[in-house]
Amino acid sequence: MNAPIEPTLLERSAALQGMGESRLRKEDARFIQGKGNYVDDIKMPGMLHMDIVRSPFAHARIKSIDKSEALKVPGVIAVLTADDLKPLKLHWMPTLAGDVAAVLADEKVHFQMQEVAVVIAEDRYAAADGVEAVVVEYEELPVVMDPYAALAPDAPVLREDLAGKTSGAHGPREHHNHIFTWDAGDKDATAAAFAAAPVVVSQHMHYPRVHPCPLETCGCVASFDPIRGELTTFLTSQAPHVVRTVVSLLSGIPESKVRIVSPDIGGGFGNKVGIYPGYVCAIVSSIVLGKPVKWIEDRIENISSTAFARDYHMDGEIAATADGKITALRVNVVADHGAFDACADPTKFPAGLFHICSGSYDIPAAHCSVKGVYTNKAPGGVAYRCSFRVTEAVYLVERMVDVLAQKLGMDKAEIRAKNFIRKEQFPYTSAFGFEYDSGDYHTALKKVLDAVDYPALRVEQAARRADPNATHLMGIGLVSFTEVVGAGPSKMCDILGVGMFDSCEIRIHPTGSAIARMGTITQGQGHQTTYAQIIATELGIPSEVIQVEEGDTSTAPYGLGTYGSRSTPVAGAAIALAARKIHAKARKIAAHLLEVGEGDLDWEIDRFNVKGDPGRHKTMKDISWAAYNNVPAGMEMGLEAVHYYDPPNFTFPFGIYLCVVDIDRGTGETQVRRFYALDDCGTRINPMIIDGQIHGGLTEGFAVAMGQQMPFDAQGNLLGNTLMDYFLPTAVETPKWETDFTVTPSPHHPIGAKGVAESPHVGSIPTFTSAVVDAFAHLGVTDMTMPHSSYRVWQQLVKSGVAR
């Protein structure tokens, strides 16, 4: 009988489907068959339904709330207001930014669609009827929608609950509508550099308010067991463990008796990091009524009242030499935070990581100042597919570099190459104190310019500009971005005092399969696939037999969740290091089984070989079995490990994006002719998933830059809170994306990975703006506020005198 043929090294490696392989996503089978398990799929015996009474006014005093007619509606069980929550001290709740926010409006409303009362009923229809029957009498108050107007001496006091408080969570308050002033960098050195500079350019720009608008709206099912004193809540949360901690602090229920479960989530993008009043009210209602309570918001509620993004009014200045070398950067920002400071930012950074605004450039001196302001808009300020205000920072610096190039008559590519941090300067400490881990910006730039034949594009553009009969303007956008992700080191980053580490627990079963549990929670990033690939490479176990679980606080180790591109930089590192603990134990077991010393073994893909005698080996499957019946004397049985990873530093992925647009001079219609995106995310785990993440982020960036807006009138009415008004691009509108990459691994990360999902959103938005403005640059235009809709672009055509 012939001996079985041993698979080759290549075959064994391919069988693992580990890092670097474009393996299909493990989680997709259930989704494409409609077998996902979302919060609205949760059904419990005796479950009640909750709906919310919301204010039609942006600023008004509540004179009375009449529940009587609502309580007569068939099926309505209860109506709760702030007065009902006051005995429980739950009418206000802490925000992640150190402020407090009204759970239900207490005496007055601060923004349109604010939560005023909740109706609990036997079904959703009865709850909706009950909402219509609640009668609220309002006294309208002056509305403030402009953050500059909010700081005027005679501006109305918006937050009467803060009356007399001269300091907040982040320092002194200068005005009754002022939240904080935060700065970074060296103000004096920057001022000196500006004073000595032969060239100074400045630009005011507004990055308007937008909304993440995930496919699934927010919701929860809260179920309190009065016998056991246990609370279980199914929740659309990107950070379930943090929610558990906050719920315990608010309710007084021991955290050991609070279980938060985040099942499948239809997109998050930062919108599902925070804790919304609807969650709190559903939990309180379940505790009071002793039955499960479900709340699912509709799309209008989601766009109108859940956390927005951006709304930064930015003044940028660059100092430079006559030949284009940047010597200093200065930025002043007025940030519209809405009615409550509910930004999801690390405690030490009330303006997030905006001080990455020096970008990819070697700038000797820099200073930025951000002033947070209350207005009568919905609160929030989430990191919409970016890491804590990095999108605004990148937009600022890239627009300013374009303005400088325009002032000096230099090409966009030339001025960037002149000011890039050089490869040999890494690790590089920026003027704001960030230590960039690795990068090679010049190589990436050259790769992009060569791929698109950049000189030929400029020749074509010059010819188009010289032709008075040209039907279209042509614009070329070029952007470099450096992100700061992987929040983060607990010495710098925490939320409500909890350090922003992350965790992994891996258990290897006797038959060689495995289960891994993480403190993160996927919202479509493909964690079940990529996490298994990391373990496969580290432990030599096929990724197909590795089960990945997240989102259940009763089984997963404590973690800070998924947002700000921290899955791979933080949780991925925890996974790799947990696997290496198991690998070290497996080596001891292999040495025991082979009767050699540990130093006599070589690791090869999926097994330990005896040095010089590769025929003598033990595979990880052999070792897994032995771990439960034949281990060295004194060793515990089993093969498992837990690791909590507190990163030593952030990671700094980067990219170079180029966009070519053609603008119809008669209609303002803008066609994206080409978009070329090169990303460097360090070690690439699954190239196919990376491309998918980049395509998704670019599409979101296209939506923000070219059509999304949240306009308000003077009375605080949101003028576009349905998907009839709020632009979500389909396959019809979305351009074709071309992707490329370079690889510069992070030297401090266990597998060299940096993160990628945020990058395309961060980098694409200024690229689109750069391209649109470039089409008008020869006419002296230096900035155009987003979104670049056809009507807005047509207005610029008319203003510039080139409309046909």
Side-chain angles (χ1 to χ4, degrees), residues 643-765:
H643 191 86
Y644 286 79
Y645 180 71
D646 185 7
N649 189 13
F650 299 102
T651 58
F652 295 83
F654 65 91
I656 310 285
Y657 289 178
L658 185 141
C659 176
V660 183
V661 299
D662 296 300
I663 297 174
D664 189 302
R665 290 173 58 183
T667 65
E669 182 182 9
T670 302
Q671 292 290 332
V672 178
R673 185 200 307 182
R674 191 169 191 184
F675 198 104
Y676 200 94
L678 180 146
D679 280 274
D680 193 313
C681 61
T683 301
R684 294 161 60 85
I685 299 170
N686 185 316
M688 182 182 67
I689 286 182
I690 289 172
D691 276 349
Q693 288 288 292
I694 291 172
H695 282 202
L698 293 175
T699 302
E700 286 182 318
F702 170 72
V704 169
M706 307 304 287
Q708 289 185 346
Q709 56 180 323
M710 298 182 73
F712 295 84
D713 66 17
Q715 288 72 46
N717 298 303
L718 177 56
L719 303 179
N721 58 2
T722 75
L723 295 186
M724 294 293 290
D725 308 291
Y726 197 71
F727 174 53
L728 291 186
T730 68
V732 174
E733 298 90 6
T734 303
K736 176 184 176 182
W737 310 119
E738 300 174 71
T739 61
D740 202 348
F741 65 93
T742 57
V743 178
T744 55
S746 173
H748 65 75
H749 192 277
I751 61 173
K754 294 184 176 184
V756 73
E758 319 289 5
S759 296
H761 185 88
V762 169
S764 64
I765 296 169

Side-chain angles (χ1 to χ4, degrees), residues 71-94:
L71 291 170
K72 295 176 185 177
V73 173
V76 170
I77 305 298
V79 179
L80 302 179
T81 68
D83 287 342
D84 298 303
L85 300 184
K86 283 180 181 179
L88 304 173
K89 297 183 179 180
L90 287 175
H91 54 308
W92 289 80
M93 66 178 181

Side-chain angles (χ1 to χ4, degrees), residues 383-405:
Y384 172 20
R385 200 155 184 163
C386 81
S387 186
F388 308 119
R389 302 289 187 175
V390 171
T391 302
E392 292 93 320
V394 169
Y395 189 88
L396 179 283
V397 69
E398 289 304 304
R399 295 299 309 124
M400 290 309 306
V401 171
D402 272 6
V403 171
L404 177 62

Side-chain angles (χ1 to χ4, degrees), residues 516-600:
R517 295 185 172 101
M518 265 66 70
T520 49
I521 172 65
T522 186
Q523 306 116 51
Q525 296 94 334
H527 288 179
Q528 291 183 23
T529 304
T530 53
Y531 286 175
Q533 288 182 268
I534 296 172
I535 297 169
T537 295
E538 293 287 342
L539 291 180
I541 297 173
S543 60
E544 188 59 39
V545 300
I546 300 170
Q547 179 73 16
V548 172
E549 291 185 1
E550 303 173 280
D552 188 336
T553 61
S554 289
T555 58
Y558 201 107
L560 272 289
T562 299
Y563 43 86
S565 200
R566 61 189 308 277
S567 297
T568 299
V570 188
I575 293 164
L577 294 175
R580 289 175 191 180
K581 290 179 179 178
I582 292 173
H583 192 276
K585 184 174 181 179
R587 176 181 285 272
K588 295 179 186 295
I589 295 173
H592 166 70
L593 296 175
L594 293 165
E595 299 181 330
V596 298
E598 291 181 53
D600 297 321

Side-chain angles (χ1 to χ4, degrees), residues 631-636:
V631 298
M635 178 182 283
E636 287 183 305

Side-chain angles (χ1 to χ4, degrees), residues 157 264 607 650:
V157 177
D264 291 326
R607 65 194 59 185
F650 299 102

